[in-house]
Every structure is written in structure tokens, then in C-alpha cells.
Amino acid sequence: AQKVTQAQTEISVVEKEDVTLDCVYETRDTTYYLFWYKQPPSGELVFLIRRNSFDEQNEISGRYSWNFQKSTSSFNFTITASQVVDSAVYFCALSEANGVNKFYFGSGTKLNVKP
Amino acid sequence: KAGVTQTPRYLIKTRGQQVTLSCSPISGHRSVSWYQQTPGQGLQFLFEYFSETQRNKGNFPGRFSGRQFSNSRSEMNVSTLELGDSALYLCASSSEPGGPGNTIYFGEGSWLTVV
């Protein structure tokens, strides 16, 4: 069965610190997709990144970077030089390549960035 | 390009009543999926519609139903409301069902409170 685990329930950092959000997933599929979403207090889930299972290249986008490691079934997210605006709940998600948009979400990590 | 639009944003209902939530996907998107978010259960998949057909349904009772119209707009209905149905209901749209192009984009959600 598919499962996504975000063991960190809440993290607090001071502005400009680097922070890594952990994500571990389980799936029997050989092809799958991994995602990160950000949820501010307004409720909307904002798409951040998608990674295909066959592409293990790490990715950097500005202050955000993602480390995908199939060997450990992990897809971790790092924010460099965190800012107060980064405060939100972050969700990792997994979807299968079976023709259905059914996503399995982790329980989320609440990030508090203090000035 | 307009995002996913959900109405109403907030509503309060009484136990036993029914509720209908509406979702307009991103223009050109034909897949609409619904998720329920609660503090206890997190984000859970309700169902997905593509071309007016329900393609998959999550583990929810029959009180939860939905439909999709020819213009891709979708509605979900919950009948005989229970206190436990209080949640944020999120709609997401995608250009295609599961596959390489299956990033889903969320609306701001409908906050339902059952009293």
C-alpha cells in the first residue's frame, strides 16, 4: 500500500536558518510521482515541485532544494535562509502512474519561522 | 489564468442537513478531484472525475457523492451531515488524469462546520 510519512510534526527556526523537511514514502509501484505542497493559513495547497520516480536528480529553485533518494525512499525538502513568509504547513505527497489523480499525502510539517 | 475556484468558502450546517460544494477547475483542465482535510485524518482522497465520469473513489460512505458537468465544473454533495464531516474540502484540477502531466492544482477550499 502507498504511504507517506512526515515524522516532523512542527519545526521552529529563526529567520535565515536553513531547515530540512523530511519525507519518507512507501509504494510497490516502479513508476510514481512525488510532490511537495505548501499550505498557508488561507487553506489553499500551493504546488511546489513534482519529481518522477525515474528522475533522481536533485533540484534547486531559488532558496528551495529537493533531495530525492530512491534507495532510502526519501524526498526531502530544504529551505535555505528561511524567511517569515515561509511559515506554513508543508505536505509531501505520492501519486501512482495508473491513470488516476489519487494522491497520498503525509500528515504535514508545520514550519514556524520567527523573525 | 484563473485558478481553481471553490464556493462557498465558509458554511455552517446542522446535523442531518445536506450540503453541496462547487468547484470550477482551471480553464482547460478536465480532471477534478476532491479531498477532505481534518486535523485527525489529514488529507484524504474523496473522488476524481474526468470527462463527467467518476474514475476513482476513496474510502468514504455513500453519503458523499459528486458529479462533473460537461464544462468540467464539479460539485460534491454530502447528505445527512454528521459532526465528523466538519472539515476543509479541497478541490483540485489537472489537465489529465494520472500520468506524466498529472500535477494537481488546488483551490482555497470550502470550510464546512457541522453543528
Side-chain angles (χ1 to χ4, degrees), chain A residues 33 35 37 39 41-47 50 52 91 95-107, chain B residues 9 31 33 35 37 43 45 48 55-56 88 90 94 96-108 111:
Chain A
Y33 306 94
F35 300 78
Y37 285 85
Q39 187 177 42
S42 63
E44 179 182 1
L45 280 160
V46 178
F47 166 74
R50 183 185 78 207
N52 303 331
F91 290 92
S95 78
E96 304 157 312
N98 62 358
V100 176
N101 282 325
K102 181 176 182 179
F103 280 45
Y104 300 86
F105 284 86
S107 54
Chain B
R9 286 277 285 136
S31 168
S33 49
Y35 288 79
Q37 185 177 20
L43 278 154
F45 173 79
E48 184 203 13
R55 297 175 56 83
N56 203 344
L88 174 63
L90 289 159
S94 175
E96 297 290 336
N102 77 331
T103 298
I104 61 174
Y105 299 91
F106 286 86
E108 290 187 304
W111 294 87

Side-chain angles (χ1 to χ4, degrees), chain A residues 6 19 21 23 34-40 44-52 59-66 75-80 85-93 103 105 108-109 111, chain B residues 102-106:
Chain A
Q6 293 179 256
V19 57
L21 309 182
C23 173
L34 297 166
F35 300 78
W36 276 95
Y37 285 85
K38 173 182 179 180
Q39 187 177 42
E44 179 182 1
L45 280 160
V46 178
F47 166 74
L48 295 177
I49 191 171
R50 183 185 78 207
R51 176 60 68 209
N52 303 331
E59 181 153 341
I60 298 174
S61 176
R63 296 184 297 107
Y64 296 170
S65 63
W66 291 268
F75 186 42
N76 296 336
F77 172 30
T78 297
I79 302 174
T80 302
V85 293
D86 295 327
S87 297
V89 181
Y90 291 85
F91 290 92
C92 181
F103 280 45
F105 284 86
T109 297
L111 175 63
Chain B
N102 77 331
T103 298
I104 61 174
Y105 299 91
F106 286 86

